[in-house]
Amino acid sequence: MTCRVVVTFLFFLVTLVPLVHMLPYGRNQLDINFYDSSCPNLLMIVRYGVWSALKGDSRMAASLLRLHFHDCIVNGCDASVLLDDTPYFTGEKNALPNHNSLRGFEVIDDIKQHVERLCPYTVSCADILALAAREAIDMVGGPSWPVALGRRDATTTSKEAAEQQIPSPIESLENITAKFYSKGLDLRDVVALSGGHTIGFAQCFTFKGRLFDYQGSGRPDPVLDSSLLTRLQSMCPNEDISNSNLAPLDATSSSTFDNEYYRNLIYNTGLLQSDQALTRDRRTAAMVYYYSNNRFSFYNDFAQSMVRLSNAGVLTGIMGEIRQKCGSVN
């Protein structure tokens, strides 16, 4: 009996130790050095994959940033946005804010394939996406930031959650701020992360209301700069066929990460209604003016906000899984 008890106790210890190592502690278990031993070439693989993508598509930096944001703002940074639909759930890919507009899936899939060859069953898709967004912004002139690693991937996704939690370009600042608050972010994060719109493009349907029928008035948004209005009406005529046409979020420098976005807002040349709304609130307007004149401060705050965003609602320890393919659960 004594021997049997000892053997049972030793088996319990052997099985418990790895579990204890994986259990979440504090807020999460993320660590910048998480893969130093298990996948030492991870950063090099991600950086090369992003560089290759940007070389062939100048819009990809903005797309990867948006993909990461849309992942994190819906139930946390868990790569749920990457999952394809199954008979058991309809995923975030086909939610209204994402359908036929979210891009970059193939870049993450390609990086994941390379990582799996060298480090099988080790690196999560959520971590790859977080790193890819950081590398993309760095490559187009933006700031870098520390990305703590150790996220695990969700095993489910929700179209309804995406439609409820992703901020809309026609939504009020109050509602958008509430969605950020629900992820542990604050008003400064709203303004700083909105600066990501210094790169990339938007489809005409996201702002067409400002051009022809602002808030049901039958007239354009009176705040919108008249010369910009004329150009946008030419690019986005008031016909359904133009809904998918593209316009730069920052016409001054759409491929370079800088603080021109905030200067555009001051001159009433912001593209999206939700962006221009930042100048109509006393609290956010002060930050817009400050960032327009202080690129370094914007970069610093954007980097800090990205760290906060990328740590939101993460799965660690024994939660979730490490997917072999980012588009499907194991």
Side-chain angles (χ1 to χ4, degrees):
M1 286 294 294
T2 303
C3 290
R4 182 177 299 175
V5 169
V6 170
V7 170
T8 302
F9 179 71
L10 289 175
F11 175 79
F12 174 76
L13 285 180
V14 169
T15 55
L16 177 63
V17 168
L19 288 177
V20 170
H21 178 70
M22 288 165 36
L23 286 174
Y25 56 86
R27 183 178 171 191
N28 57 49
Q29 230 181 340
L30 303 185
D31 184 345
I32 291 175
N33 303 312
F34 192 86
Y35 297 112
D36 280 5
S37 298
S38 58
C39 195
N41 294 319
L42 173 62
L43 295 182
M44 182 180 67
I45 297 170
V46 173
R47 188 165 181 83
Y48 178 78
V50 173
W51 175 81
S52 299
L54 267 60
K55 186 173 65 171
D57 183 353
S58 61
R59 293 172 52 202
M60 190 51 67
S63 296
L64 289 172
L65 177 63
R66 183 169 183 252
L67 186 60
H68 180 46
F69 175 79
H70 279 217
D71 180 39
C72 294
I73 207 69
V74 180
N75 298 331
C77 308
D78 57 7
S80 57
V81 73
L82 305 179
L83 286 171
D84 296 322
D85 292 350
T86 73
Y88 307 103
F89 56 70
T90 301
E92 297 167 33
K93 282 186 178 181
N94 286 311
L96 289 176
N98 298 334
H99 184 62
N100 290 333
S101 68
L102 210 55
R103 305 169 71 243
F105 297 104
E106 71 285 355
V107 177
I108 303 303
D109 288 342
D110 183 65
I111 294 172
K112 176 64 169 174
Q113 288 178 8
H114 283 82
V115 170
E116 282 296 310
R117 292 191 192 106
L118 295 179
C119 317
Y121 302 102
T122 301
V123 181
S124 69
C125 299
D127 277 343
I128 290 173
L129 180 52
L131 287 170
R134 192 267 306 274
E135 296 303 311
I137 296 306
D138 179 62
M139 289 180 190
V140 293
S144 186
W145 57 89
V147 177
L149 303 168
R151 296 167 191 79
R152 288 172 66 86
D153 299 322
T155 55
T156 188
T157 180
S158 170
K159 175 176 178 286
E160 292 74 21
E163 292 176 346
Q164 292 170 3
Q165 298 176 36
I166 296 174
S168 162
I170 61 172
E171 202 163 7
S172 70
L173 179 59
E174 181 182 6
N175 287 353
I176 291 173
T177 301
K179 291 180 177 182
F180 274 68
Y181 282 175
S182 72
K183 308 304 175 189
L185 304 172
D186 60 24
L187 193 61
R188 183 171 297 278
D189 296 317
V190 173
V191 181
L193 292 176
S194 294
H197 287 168
T198 188
I199 53 175
F201 291 75
Q203 295 187 51
C204 289
F205 79 89
T206 62
F207 58 86
K208 193 182 286 187
R210 298 187 72 199
L211 310 183
F212 302 102
D213 187 23
Y214 180 64
Q215 295 184 343
S217 66
R219 296 184 299 273
D221 184 347
V223 172
L224 187 60
D225 176 78
S226 58
S227 60
L228 177 61
L229 172 63
T230 301
R231 291 200 306 273
L232 290 175
Q233 287 178 332
S234 175
M235 298 168 65
C236 306
N238 196 18
E239 304 168 350
D240 288 345
I241 196 172
S242 72
N243 283 347
S244 59
N245 292 354
L246 297 174
L249 287 161
D250 173 5
T252 308
S253 53
S254 61
S255 298
T256 303
F257 196 99
D258 52 32
N259 63 336
E260 288 297 320
Y261 162 85
Y262 297 104
R263 296 177 185 175
N264 293 340
L265 297 186
I266 291 172
Y267 291 107
N268 295 320
T269 56
L271 185 66
L272 302 180
Q273 179 178 323
S274 56
D275 287 338
Q276 196 61 58
L278 295 175
T279 62
R280 300 176 183 177
D281 182 284
R282 176 179 52 83
R283 300 164 302 165
T284 55
M287 287 184 260
V288 168
Y289 278 91
Y290 182 68
Y291 289 151
S292 73
N293 291 306
N294 296 276
R295 181 188 292 195
F296 176 79
S297 294
F298 163 50
Y299 278 22
N300 183 64
D301 286 356
F302 181 86
Q304 290 186 29
S305 292
M306 286 302 301
V307 170
R308 286 157 60 88
L309 173 70
S310 65
N311 289 345
V314 297
L315 303 176
T316 59
I318 59 174
M319 298 182 289
E321 66 178 13
I322 304 297
R323 291 184 213 142
Q324 276 189 284
K325 295 183 178 180
C326 292
S328 60
V329 297
N330 294 337

